[in-house]
Amino acid sequence: MVFVGIVLLMVSFSWGWAQELTFPIIPRITIEPPKEGTPQDFALSLQILLLLTVLSLAPAFLIMVTSFTRIIVVLGFVRSALGSQQIPPTPVLIGLALFLTIFVMAPTFSRIQSEALSPYFEGTISHREALERGIGILREFMFRQTQEKDLALMVSLARLPRPQTQNDIPTHVLIPAFIVSELKAAFTMGFLIYVPFLVIDMVVASILMSMGMMMLPPVLISLPFKILLFVLVDGWALVTRGLVLSFR
């Protein structure tokens, strides 16, 4: 609903409905170390600067701990297997991956909203407790998608003692293990997608060679057949269904 509200607000501005509204002038905000003051004042300025830096990097961090990595890699494999160069365009693939990520992560985000954000906004819990609850819910999602051997690899690289429970595994160890597992799952799905298109390329290349047309690029002939096959089997629906069902 938040995304829908933002889109509707932008549309209303584009149609000129906002001409009747008056907005206060936003004051200019500057961040600079105090010329004179206590060390606490200087530390507060550094904390604000650090907070702004973290907020600028937050979207990248959030993407890496969600289903976006697997989805965008698989969609990239689909485009490469088709051999259609830049069709679909990269912005289209990224947009599809983002909305599929929102769809897959909707139950997790709903839990974060109800168990962490809402109590914090109501003032019933502190910001530290809200952060711990939100990270805990994300950790549950990452643990479900992470393979044990990838997790064991990161634990051994971090030289940690053998964990007894999931709580013994730090988040900075879980995240790279989760990313490695996501890449492994994406490449596995990409290989399965590549196989039928590779067969078409080999058949077309064999036919052209038997006809003595070795100077004609096989990709030029096989591309329409690959697109036709992809359309006939409703490829985008199959890929989308496989991606969504691959998350447990």
Side-chain angles (χ1 to χ4, degrees), residues 35-107:
K35 298 180 180 179
E36 294 181 359
T38 62
Q40 288 76 11
D41 296 333
F42 186 76
L44 180 60
S45 300
L46 290 180
Q47 291 176 2
I48 296 176
L49 183 61
L50 180 61
L51 177 61
L52 294 178
T53 304
V54 171
L55 289 177
S56 64
L57 298 176
F61 291 153
L62 188 60
I63 283 174
M64 298 307 295
V65 298
T66 59
S67 58
F68 181 83
T69 301
R70 184 189 305 185
I71 294 173
I72 191 62
V73 172
V74 171
L75 293 180
F77 271 113
V78 171
R79 186 171 67 178
S80 299
L82 285 173
S84 56
Q85 301 299 325
Q86 296 298 321
I87 303 298
T90 300
V92 174
L93 292 184
I94 295 177
L96 177 60
L98 284 174
F99 281 101
L100 284 179
T101 300
I102 295 174
F103 179 81
V104 172
M105 299 297 298

Side-chain angles (χ1 to χ4, degrees), residues 185-202:
F187 272 70
T188 302
M189 297 180 67
F191 171 77
L192 297 177
I193 292 172
Y194 244 103
V195 170
F197 297 107
L198 181 61
V199 171
I200 294 177
D201 287 333
M202 294 176 61

Side-chain angles (χ1 to χ4, degrees), residues 82 196-197 200 223-239:
L82 285 173
F197 297 107
I200 294 177
L223 179 59
F225 291 99
K226 290 191 289 186
I227 295 178
L228 179 62
L229 173 65
F230 196 71
V231 172
L232 289 178
V233 301
D234 199 4
W236 288 114
L238 290 177
V239 172

Side-chain angles (χ1 to χ4, degrees), residues 171-229:
T171 304
H172 72 275
V173 175
L174 173 61
I175 291 177
F178 167 75
I179 296 174
V180 171
S181 296
E182 288 293 283
L183 290 176
K184 185 180 298 182
F187 272 70
T188 302
M189 297 180 67
F191 171 77
L192 297 177
I193 292 172
Y194 244 103
V195 170
F197 297 107
L198 181 61
V199 171
I200 294 177
D201 287 333
M202 294 176 61
V203 171
V204 171
S206 300
I207 294 175
L208 292 178
M209 186 174 296
S210 63
M211 296 175 62
M213 305 173 63
M214 294 178 293
M215 300 301 295
L216 183 64
V219 178
L220 186 64
I221 306 300
S222 63
L223 179 59
F225 291 99
K226 290 191 289 186
I227 295 178
L228 179 62
L229 173 65

Side-chain angles (χ1 to χ4, degrees), residues 4 56 106 109 114 127 129 140 176 213 222 233:
V4 175
S56 64
F109 289 157
S114 60
H127 69 280
E129 186 176 355
E140 292 179 11
M213 305 173 63
S222 63
V233 301

